[in-house]
Every structure is written in structure tokens, then in C-alpha cells.
Amino acid sequence: MADADIILETRKLSKEFKGFTAVDAVDLQVRRGHIHALIGPNGAGKTTCFNLLTRFLAPTSGQILFNGRDISRVPPARVARMGIVRSFQISAVFPHLTVLQNVRVGLQRRLGTSYQFWRSGRSLGVLDERARELLAEVDLAGFADTVTADLPYGRKRALEIATTLGMEPELMLLDEPTQGMGHEDVHRVTALIKKVAQGRTVLMVEHNMNVVSGICDRISVLQRGAILAEGSYAEVAKNPQVMEAYMGSADAALQGAHE
């Protein structure tokens, strides 16, 4: 019988590309309500794993279970409607729309009225109240009428999280949410992730060990496509195999964040 506390599980999940094994028999369990990080050196298979979970890639073998249901062959759009929504590594927003309009487009997707730009402004206006609530949730209420291209980078990532929330995710997948950010933006987006994780489950790929150590309940370390270690940050940081896998600077980052 499935554990009701496990929202997402993979069983021997594998993906091969022409003889190269990118994801190798991964057994992953994500607990409901947790912020769970997937970390590992470059080329460890983290993004491929995300692509499998959201069904952008089909697994070579193994299973993906969401709320106990096998979704290994479910189409990506249906997976999103079931409640697994991914925020992309490269900020996926419409630069020439306002911040409010971007969130409204996200809400249209949820309602199945995507891209029907011929609908009257009044009929779309019913979405504005929800859109403004989402902007308030990610601290962008004061930017509603700003053209998105004019937003600072960190605020664009906050907007992307707002549009993801518009899809009403039960499980939110964040791919490198703080990549390329300065300290101030990293701090803001980290606080935002912690805030929006209330009442939700988050699975994230993240390189910044200070972010991981600060907000994650559980960490899975990938190396060459396989799970190398799993546990709390404190447990993972002192694991000799993890230290060896990271080597040098990343090892120092792990230790520094742990201390």
C-alpha cells in the first residue's frame, strides 16, 4: 500500500540516450509538504530527471508515481493539469506584456482558454483579481503595470513563480531558481520559495548550497545519473562520498554552508 505522505515516487527510473545512461535506476521519494532538493555535480542527470518527472522525456524503464498513481506514460499537459507544474531554468515570461498580463496568461492556461487573444478585455478581466492575489503572494503587487522586460532579473523569477502558482500546483518543480543572481536577489527569491512552499510541496534543482542548506527539508545527491546519498543537509554534507564527488570548490561550498 502506498504511503499517503509520499506525493511523488520513482522506482528504478532510467533514461538512456544512444547507449549513454543519463538517469540510472533512480529511486526517489518526495514527502508531501517538504522542500526537497536534487543536487549534484554538472552532468549528474538532474535536468534529465526533471524532464522525466514532467514527461517532457519518456523513461527508458522504471516508474513515476504521483499520489500513488502511475504517470510514467501520461502526456505532459495532463501531468501539469494533475498538479505537477515546472518553473523553467531560463525565465519563461512574455517580455512585452505587463506583469499582470503575464500572470493572466498563466491563469488562462489553467482555465483552458490559452492564447484566445480575441476574447474581450472584459471577459479576461475576471481573472485580474486572482492575478493580483498571486502578485501579492510573490511581493510583486507594486509592479502589476510594469512591462516585464523592465523588471530586474530576480523579480522576473518571482513573476515566473507567480505564473506557476496560477496553475495551482500540488507539486512545484523549480529548476535552478537562483541561477545567475546577485546576493540580494538570491536572498529575496529564497525567502519567496520558503513562503510559497507553505501548504505545497517543492522539488528543486539548485547549485547554491547556502540556499539548499537554508530551506530544504531533504536532499538527494545525484552522481552520474544515480542517487549517491540522501538525507538532511547535515547528513549529506558530511557524507564522504558526496565530498569526493563534488571535489574542490563545491566540497568547500558544502562544508562552508554546513558550518
Side-chain angles (χ1 to χ4, degrees), residues 209 233 236-239 243 249-259:
M209 290 302 124
Y233 185 82
V236 164
K238 63 188 179 190
N239 183 307
M243 293 180 193
S249 59
D251 177 17
L254 271 168
Q255 286 304 304
H258 179 48
E259 288 159 11

Side-chain angles (χ1 to χ4, degrees), residues 68-90:
R69 180 180 170 188
D70 191 333
I71 61 164
S72 310
R73 299 290 181 268
V74 173
R78 197 159 140 226
V79 166
R81 286 195 297 272
M82 289 171 72
I84 302 178
V85 184
R86 175 181 181 177
S87 179
F88 280 88
Q89 186 171 353
I90 296 167

Side-chain angles (χ1 to χ4, degrees), residues 8-126:
L8 181 76
E9 181 179 7
T10 68
R11 296 175 182 170
K12 304 298 179 194
L13 187 65
S14 299
K15 180 64 180 178
E16 295 178 12
F17 297 100
K18 296 181 180 176
F20 169 70
T21 304
V23 173
D24 187 4
V26 165
D27 290 329
L28 182 69
Q29 288 191 330
V30 178
R31 298 192 84 78
R32 198 177 305 280
H34 273 193
I35 301 178
H36 191 128
L38 205 54
I39 70 169
N42 288 332
K46 303 182 297 294
T47 298
T48 303
C49 204
F50 256 37
N51 285 335
L52 291 169
L53 295 176
T54 47
R55 295 289 295 110
F56 283 90
L57 284 175
T60 305
S61 60
Q63 284 182 296
I64 305 164
L65 290 93
F66 179 57
N67 284 324
R69 180 180 170 188
D70 191 333
I71 61 164
S72 310
R73 299 290 181 268
V74 173
R78 197 159 140 226
V79 166
R81 286 195 297 272
M82 289 171 72
I84 302 178
V85 184
R86 175 181 181 177
S87 179
F88 280 88
Q89 186 171 353
I90 296 167
S91 192
V93 292
F94 296 100
H96 302 300
L97 296 181
T98 66
V99 167
L100 182 69
Q101 287 169 336
N102 262 285
V103 178
R104 203 164 65 182
V105 168
L107 290 170
Q108 280 179 262
R109 286 177 183 158
R110 179 71 183 173
L111 295 175
T113 57
S114 313
Y115 309 116
Q116 294 183 10
F117 292 119
W118 61 85
R119 287 164 68 94
S120 74
R122 182 179 297 175
S123 69
L124 292 180
V126 300

Side-chain angles (χ1 to χ4, degrees), residues 199-215:
R200 298 183 180 92
T201 306
V202 174
L203 177 63
M204 60 192 285
V205 168
E206 181 55 68
H207 273 108
N208 188 320
M209 290 302 124
N210 287 313
V211 172
V212 171
S213 66
I215 64 172

